[in-house]
Amino acid sequence: MGQIAWLGPHDPFPNPLLEPDPDPSVPGLVGVSERIYPGQLARAYQQGILPWYSDNQPVLWLLPDPRMVLKPASFKCSESLRKTIRSFCQNTRNQIEVDVDFGAVIRSCATSARKDQDGTWITHEIIDAYTTLHEQGNANSIAIIEDSQLMGGLYCVAFGGMVFGESMFSRKTNASKIALAALSAWCLINDVHMIDCQQETAHLLSLGAAPISRQAFLEQLQISLNQTKIENSWTFDKAILHHWL
């Protein structure tokens, strides 16, 4: 067992491929910090490292093994979801809004009730950190609007040619799936080969995501980071969903 690294504002993250997990009870733990320091979140993502946060607790920095990912071409658009998408697209009052109100989407993700989960890891500090990433052009939101109401959506992080899915929410059945279908179609158009989904869940498996090794994930991440940046391409509407129809 290694020693847990306490990280200050400018400390580099330890390389988990060279050092053992410091705490086997927390798989993939790379280090701990008192809070998320300026610039730390951006550095972490570009190394495949994720924050995990609870109120009044230190920030845990994780590099999971295996890693759950979704190849956009593997997105499973079931017949029922296809019918929902078709109905959504036919209604002129429905729309997809990209980066129109990032704050509303991330706050909705934070406050949505989830099965078998008490509370949320999306605290005020997390919201502030990801809002800063958004302002810097490295975090984006996709909102599903029906009759002028926010019914679902997701937010994600992007560096180079890599997209990291963060959190989704639904106020109506399949609303978050529509958002993910839109993101998957956008990734196909922009030559994004992998959406990071972080950790395995039955819901993600049902949508086509699958686990890969940490080594394989980091290799693809490095390739993607060297690709042309996609941050300036985040402009699309519900017409992108026609890919699945």
Side-chain angles (χ1 to χ4, degrees):
M1 181 186 300
Q3 184 174 1
I4 297 176
W6 276 86
L7 306 172
H10 307 293
D11 290 335
F13 290 99
N15 186 338
L17 301 181
L18 301 178
E19 303 176 32
D21 283 356
D23 186 348
S25 68
V26 186
L29 179 65
V30 172
V32 179
S33 64
E34 184 176 354
R35 65 185 187 88
I36 298 178
Y37 298 105
Q40 192 177 37
L41 191 58
R43 295 197 306 273
Y45 270 97
Q46 292 174 83
Q47 298 175 63
I49 297 169
L50 310 167
W52 193 262
Y53 192 89
S54 300
D55 272 330
N56 303 315
Q57 297 294 325
V59 182
L60 305 182
W61 296 95
L62 307 176
L63 186 53
D65 188 12
R67 188 77 165 235
M68 197 70 168
V69 301
L70 172 62
K71 296 180 179 179
S74 298
F75 176 75
K76 291 182 179 178
C77 190
S78 66
E79 186 56 38
S80 61
L81 178 57
R82 191 172 287 109
K83 289 174 62 177
T84 299
I85 289 174
R86 185 175 291 110
S87 175
F88 176 83
C89 289
Q90 289 173 346
N91 189 330
T92 58
R93 296 188 301 274
N94 296 343
Q95 190 52 268
I96 289 178
E97 294 181 349
V98 180
D99 290 338
V100 172
D101 193 342
F102 182 87
V105 172
I106 192 171
R107 289 192 299 272
S108 296
C109 289
T111 56
S112 292
R114 303 180 192 277
K115 184 180 179 181
D116 301 324
Q117 179 178 324
D118 294 325
T120 178
W121 71 276
I122 307 174
T123 63
H124 292 297
E125 182 177 3
I126 286 286
I127 290 173
D128 288 345
Y130 281 89
T131 298
T132 297
L133 278 188
H134 172 64
E135 292 168 349
Q136 294 169 345
N138 292 110
N140 304 88
S141 63
I142 299 174
I144 304 303
I145 307 297
E146 297 192 6
D147 293 324
S148 302
Q149 300 296 314
L150 177 60
M151 302 307 297
L154 61 81
Y155 72 98
C156 57
V157 171
F159 283 97
M162 183 71 187
V163 171
F164 304 82
E166 280 305 310
S167 186
M168 304 188 293
F169 78 99
S170 287
R171 293 174 181 158
K172 182 178 180 180
T173 301
N174 285 337
S176 64
K177 291 182 181 180
I178 294 175
L180 184 57
L183 177 61
S184 297
W186 178 88
C187 285
L188 286 169
I189 292 170
N190 286 275
D191 201 29
V192 173
H193 302 290
M194 194 168 69
I195 301 170
D196 175 36
C197 299
Q198 303 178 4
Q199 298 184 346
E200 182 174 334
T201 67
H203 179 63
L204 289 169
L205 282 169
S206 71
L207 293 172
I212 62 173
S213 71
R214 177 163 61 187
Q215 180 67 44
F217 173 79
L218 292 176
E219 289 173 357
Q220 181 59 52
L221 172 61
Q222 192 57 55
I223 293 171
S224 298
L225 290 176
N226 291 330
Q227 290 178 341
T228 302
K229 290 185 178 181
I230 54 176
E231 286 90 333
N232 295 326
S233 303
W234 289 86
T235 303
F236 60 89
D237 57 27
K238 68 180 182 181
I240 202 167
L241 291 167
H242 292 164
H243 175 85
W244 304 109
L245 299 180

